[in-house]
Amino acid sequence: MEAAIQVTKISKTFTLSRKQQKIEQSKTKTKVAVNDLSFEAYPHEIYGLLGPNGAGKTTTLRCISTLIKPDMGDILVQGKSVMKEAGDVRNAIGFLTSDMKLEDFFTPNYLFDYFSKLHGVPEDLAAKRKAALFHKFGIDRFAEVKVGELSSGMRQKAQLAISLVHDPDVIIFDEPTNGLDVLTAKVVTDYLIELKNEGKAIVVSTHIFSLVEKICDRVGIILNGKLKATGLLQDLVAPEDTLEDYFFRLAQEEGDIQ
Amino acid sequence: MKNIWTIFKKEWDRVIHDRRLVISVMLLPGLMIFLIYTFMGTAIENFTTVETANIAILNDTAGFKALYEASEDPLVTDIESITAEEVVTYQEKVDNEEWHLIIVFSAGFETYAGGVDKPGVTLYYNPNNPDSSSVFGRFQGYLITYQNSLAFELYGDTRYFILETSNTAIDPNQMMGLIFSSLLPMLTIMFLFSGAMSIGPESIAGEKERGTIATLLVTPVKRSQIAIGKVLSLSVLSLLSSLSSFIGIIVSLPKMLAYENLDASIYALGDYAMLLLVLFSTVFVIVGVISILSAYAKNLKEAGTLITMIYLVVIIVSISSFFSQGAQQNPLLYLIPIYSSVQTMTAILSFDESVLTFLMLTFASNLLYTAIFIFILNRMFDSERIMFAK
C-alpha cells in the first residue's frame, strides 16, 4: 500500500532568542528540534507520535501541515511534496493543534461556512457536512454562540469539526485529547477510530500512553528530535511488557532519565 | 478571486457586525470632528465679535462726525458727548477697561484760521485692553483723514504727490481655496491613518497573537490572496472611517468659517471626485504600511508602537500643506507616498492648473506602492519566522 504520509529524513533547527535560551537553559543559539526523522503513515491506520514535551512532535506535525518547512529532507503527502506543492498538501490534510484557534468574535456556524469556502467545498456539500458534524459533536446546541463565549470543550469540538470541513484523506492531530473532559475526549477518540475505518490516514501526537494503546495501530517514539523506534505496537512491546516500560527504557538509554 | 472575496467578507463582517467597532471606527470620528469644529468655530466667532465700542468726545465737530459716521456701524458704536469736567471720570473708566476711548478736541477747534497756536486733539485709550486698542486704531485713522481734509480747506492741496493704491478684487473662491487647502489635506490624511490604525493591527497582528492566523494558513488559499483580501477589506473599512471624518469636516467647516462669510459650495462635483480618487489610492498605501508593520509585529502591542511611530512621520508630512503656499510644482515630488497625496489635495482645493498631472502621478505611484506592499505582505505570510515569532 502506498503511504499517505512519507516523512523522509527531515531536520529542523530553530534559532533561539535570549529569552528562549534562558528558558531552555541552553548556551547555544540554536536548537535542533527534529533530527533526521523518517516515518510513514498509511490509509486505514492511526499512527501515534509518542514523546515527552519538547521532543519535536509538534514541530514534525507542523512540517507535515506546511506551516513550517524542514531545513533538510522532504515530506510527501499523497505523493505531493510539502516543499514544492504546499497548496496541494494543504488541500489534502486536516490539521488540528492547540496553536490553531478560532476567532472569538464569530460563531461556529459562521466559521464552518467560512473555512468551507476557503477549502472550495460546494455550498450544498458543506451544508450536509456541517449538519452531520455538528450533530455528531453536539455543536448544534451552540452553533450560533460566539466562540469567545464557549467553554474550552465546546471550542475544541468546534475546532475539530472545522478542521474537517473539506473531508480530508489525511488527518493530523496534535495532542487530540488535551484539555478535554473525559466525555468529550471519548467522543473525539471514537471519531478518530471511525475516520480510520473510513480509510483515512491519521497521525496523532501525544504523551499519553493509554491513548496510544487505545487507538494507535503503529507508533513512533520520539526523543530529543530523533525517532528512537517505530513499528506496530505489538512488535515493539513484548506481551509481558507495557508501552510505558518500553518507553522509559528508551528514555533511559537516551539519557533523558536517570 | 473567490477566496479574496471570502477573506474580504470575513474581515468586513468582523467590523460591521461589531456594534462597538462600528461606533468607534465609523461614527465617532465624524461626530467628534463635527463637535470639535463647531466648538472651535463658535469660540473663534466669540473671540472676534467686537462688543459695542464706547467713545466719549469732547467738543465733537460736524466734519469729524460726518467722517466716522460714514464708516462706523451705529449699532455697535456708542458715541457720547461729554463735558470737560467729565473727562477725568471717563479716563478712570478707560483705565478700568469699562470704556474704550476718549477724544478731546481743544476749545475753539473749528474756528482756527491759521497761526501759531494750533488747536489740538487728545486721544486717551488703554493699550492693555485689546478692544480699546482696536477702537483707538480706527478713530486715529479717521482723525488723520480729518486732519488732511482740514489742511486742504485751509491751504489748498499741499501734497507733493498723490498716492493711490489699488488691488485685485478679492476672489472668494481663491480665498476659500487657500483656507481649505491648508487645513483639509492634513486632517484627511491624519484621519485616514487613524481610521486604518484602529482596525488594521487587529486584523493581522491580532490574528497572529491569538493564533487564528495559523488556522487560515493551513487552508489551501494562496498567501497572496490572503494578503489582497485583507488589504482590500481594511482599505474599504478605513475609507468608510475616513469618509465619516471627511463628512464631519465638510459639515462643520462652514460653521468654523462663518465669521469669514465663506462657504464650501465653491467646489464642483469634479473636485470632490478628484479628492475621492486621492483618498482611495492613499488609503491603500496606508493600509499596506499598517499591514506590513502588523504582520512584522509579534503582538498587538508591538504593532501599536511601530504604527504610532509611522503615524508621527505621517503627521509631520501632512503638516507640510499648512506651511506651503499652494501645491508644489515639481512633478517628482508627486512620487513620494503620503506627501504626494497631501500636495495633490492642496492642488485640487486651491484650483491649481496642473492638478490633473499631479493627480495621475499620485494615483499611479500609490497603486505601484500598494502592489509592492502586497508583494511584501505575501512573502511575510509565507515566512514561518515572521508568522510564528514568539
Side-chain angles (χ1 to χ4, degrees):
Chain A
M1 198 189 305
E2 197 189 337
I5 300 173
Q6 171 108 43
V7 180
T8 315
K9 292 179 171 296
I10 61 159
S11 294
K12 181 75 184 173
T13 306
F14 290 114
T15 313
L16 297 179
S17 64
R18 285 221 179 124
K19 199 172 144 196
Q20 286 166 320
Q21 264 175 281
K22 270 189 190 167
I23 294 168
E24 301 264 339
Q25 294 179 331
S26 158
K27 282 185 183 163
T28 53
K29 282 186 176 172
T30 55
K31 184 189 179 199
V32 182
V34 175
N35 188 358
D36 200 31
L37 191 129
S38 303
F39 70 91
E40 298 92 36
Y42 295 91
H44 292 281
E45 79 164 7
I46 299 179
Y47 184 89
L49 267 182
L50 179 68
N53 289 343
K57 305 186 297 286
T58 302
T59 303
T60 308
L61 297 193
R62 292 176 86 153
C63 285
I64 302 173
S65 68
T66 76
L67 276 181
I68 58 177
K69 284 192 172 87
D71 301 330
M72 275 186 285
D74 198 357
I75 301 167
L76 298 182
V77 176
Q78 294 193 315
K80 309 282 184 189
S81 158
V82 293
M83 305 293 279
K84 297 177 201 127
E85 298 148 296
D88 293 327
V89 172
R90 284 181 212 131
N91 225 353
I93 59 166
F95 181 44
L96 192 70
T97 152
S98 54
D99 291 352
M100 289 168 51
K101 307 254 168 55
L102 298 175
E103 277 191 74
D104 285 355
F105 180 77
F106 295 103
T107 63
N109 190 24
Y110 184 99
L111 289 169
F112 194 96
D113 292 345
Y114 172 60
F115 283 102
S116 296
K117 279 181 196 152
L118 292 182
H119 276 282
V121 182
E123 267 181 47
D124 49 342
L125 188 59
K128 269 185 209 161
R129 261 182 215 155
K130 182 164 68 178
L133 283 168
F134 277 23
H135 177 71
K136 175 165 244 16
F137 296 117
I139 299 170
D140 10 25
R141 287 183 288 114
F142 53 85
E144 292 302 341
V145 180
K146 284 184 181 172
V147 170
E149 291 161 21
L150 298 179
S151 70
S152 58
M154 289 169 169
R155 207 176 294 182
Q156 260 176 309
K157 283 180 187 174
Q159 275 171 295
L160 174 61
I162 285 165
S163 67
L164 300 172
V165 288
H166 52 307
D167 190 25
D169 287 330
V170 176
I171 294 159
I172 296 151
F173 276 127
D174 190 14
E175 307 280 2
T177 56
N178 245 19
L180 294 182
D181 62 83
V182 280
L183 292 175
T184 316
K186 181 166 166 46
V187 175
V188 171
T189 49
D190 286 353
Y191 189 58
L192 285 177
I193 293 168
E194 201 178 312
L195 288 171
K196 174 185 93 168
N197 293 338
E198 281 174 23
K200 317 273 189 202
I202 300 165
V203 176
V204 296
S205 77
T206 184
H207 58 270
I208 305 168
F209 300 110
S210 60
L211 183 74
V212 175
E213 285 166 334
K214 190 178 162 211
I215 66 168
C216 294
D217 303 287
R218 288 192 312 124
V219 65
I221 294 176
I222 186 167
L223 289 165
N224 294 329
K226 284 179 270 187
L227 197 72
K228 302 305 288 182
T230 181
L232 288 169
L233 261 178
Q234 59 267 35
D235 291 349
L236 292 179
V237 185
E240 66 281 2
D241 211 356
T242 63
L243 177 63
E244 199 172 336
D245 293 336
Y246 178 71
F247 177 85
F248 285 127
R249 269 204 306 281
L250 283 180
Q252 217 161 12
E253 281 169 26
E254 184 65 19
D256 270 11
I257 45 174
Q258 302 300 315
Chain B
M1 194 63 209
K2 210 176 148 196
N3 287 335
I4 294 175
W5 169 244
T6 305
I7 287 168
F8 178 97
K9 178 86 181 11
K10 193 219 91 190
E11 298 295 333
W12 172 266
D13 288 347
R14 172 70 190 85
V15 174
I16 291 298
H17 292 159
D18 189 336
R19 204 177 304 155
R20 289 167 66 163
L21 266 183
V22 170
I23 291 172
S24 65
V25 175
M26 307 283 172
L27 296 178
L28 272 186
L31 194 66
M32 286 308 291
I33 289 169
F34 176 74
L35 290 177
I36 291 170
Y37 269 39
T38 309
F39 172 75
M40 276 165 66
T42 313
I44 290 170
E45 224 173 322
N46 289 342
F47 186 71
T48 52
T49 306
V50 178
E51 50 186 283
T52 306
N54 301 111
I55 300 114
I57 306 181
L58 176 65
N59 301 330
D60 199 2
T61 69
F64 183 58
K65 193 172 181 180
L67 257 175
Y68 66 71
E69 279 188 345
S71 306
E72 290 287 310
D73 181 350
L75 289 175
V76 290
T77 319
D78 172 25
I79 311 269
E80 277 188 30
S81 285
I82 54 167
T83 61
E85 290 76 36
E86 285 176 306
V87 170
V88 179
T89 323
Y90 276 89
Q91 276 181 345
E92 274 174 23
K93 280 189 171 189
V94 171
D95 292 342
N96 296 333
E97 300 194 4
E98 291 161 6
W99 201 263
H100 294 123
L101 180 67
I102 306 165
I103 304 173
V104 176
F105 286 89
S106 58
F109 185 90
E110 282 183 298
T111 54
Y112 175 71
V116 185
D117 290 331
K118 292 190 177 187
V121 183
T122 314
L123 294 161
Y124 191 83
Y125 78 109
N126 183 353
N128 299 315
N129 178 359
D131 288 338
S132 177
S133 298
S134 148
V135 173
F136 164 74
R138 288 205 316 270
F139 276 79
Q140 193 184 33
Y142 304 142
L143 277 170
I144 291 167
T145 314
Y146 185 43
Q147 191 180 32
N148 287 339
S149 74
L150 288 178
F152 185 79
E153 272 176 29
L154 208 58
Y155 307 111
D157 194 347
T158 58
R159 287 175 295 175
Y160 191 86
F161 65 90
I162 295 168
L163 173 70
E164 278 182 55
T165 58
S166 58
N167 56 275
T168 319
I170 293 172
D171 177 358
N173 273 18
Q174 215 152 15
M175 177 93 175
M176 186 70 186
L178 269 178
I179 293 170
F180 260 85
S181 65
S182 62
L183 213 60
L184 256 191
M186 178 188 80
L187 291 172
T188 314
I189 295 289
M190 279 166 65
F191 287 118
L192 217 55
F193 201 95
S194 55
M197 217 167 130
S198 53
I199 44 176
E202 170 66 26
S203 163
I204 299 174
E207 284 222 36
K208 256 177 86 173
E209 188 177 327
R210 290 189 301 273
T212 51
I213 197 95
T215 319
L216 188 60
L217 292 176
V218 289
T219 63
V221 179
K222 286 193 181 119
R223 272 47 172 161
S224 58
Q225 292 174 328
I226 298 176
I228 294 172
K230 281 197 180 266
V231 167
L232 266 184
S233 61
L234 289 177
S235 299
V236 173
L237 288 164
S238 306
L239 201 68
L240 281 180
S241 166
S242 59
L243 271 185
S244 151
S245 314
F246 197 69
I247 292 168
I249 293 169
I250 297 290
V251 173
S252 52
L253 263 186
K255 174 78 181 167
M256 191 177 168
L257 302 171
Y259 69 101
E260 296 268 18
N261 289 325
L262 297 167
D263 68 69
S265 60
I266 55 166
Y267 296 109
L269 211 59
D271 298 322
Y272 285 110
M274 285 196 285
L275 276 181
L276 275 180
L277 266 185
V278 178
L279 282 187
F280 261 116
S281 60
T282 311
V283 87
F284 282 129
V285 174
I286 290 175
V287 167
V289 172
I290 287 180
S291 301
I292 286 175
L293 292 177
S294 301
Y296 174 77
K298 285 175 186 155
N299 49 44
L300 269 172
K301 199 174 154 198
E302 195 184 335
T305 313
L306 291 173
I307 292 166
T308 306
M309 284 196 280
I310 300 292
Y311 186 42
L312 291 177
V313 176
V314 166
I315 288 178
I316 291 168
V317 173
S318 315
I319 285 175
S320 67
S321 70
F322 222 74
F323 300 108
S324 63
Q325 285 289 318
Q328 294 283 355
Q329 298 298 312
N330 181 356
L332 282 179
L333 292 173
Y334 288 81
L335 299 175
I336 306 171
I338 307 293
Y339 187 72
S340 63
S341 306
V342 173
Q343 290 302 319
T344 307
M345 278 193 268
T346 307
I348 297 168
L349 294 169
S350 59
F351 306 100
D352 197 288
E353 285 172 1
S354 319
V355 64
L356 276 179
T357 317
F358 298 155
L359 178 69
M360 299 239 292
L361 279 172
T362 303
F363 192 76
S365 64
N366 278 350
L367 286 191
L368 179 71
Y369 290 124
T370 309
I372 294 170
F373 291 151
I374 287 178
F375 176 76
I376 295 172
L377 199 58
N378 172 30
R379 297 296 293 265
M380 291 176 91
F381 279 139
D382 224 9
S383 160
E384 62 189 71
R385 197 171 290 180
I386 290 173
M387 280 299 112
F388 303 109
K390 286 265 162 69

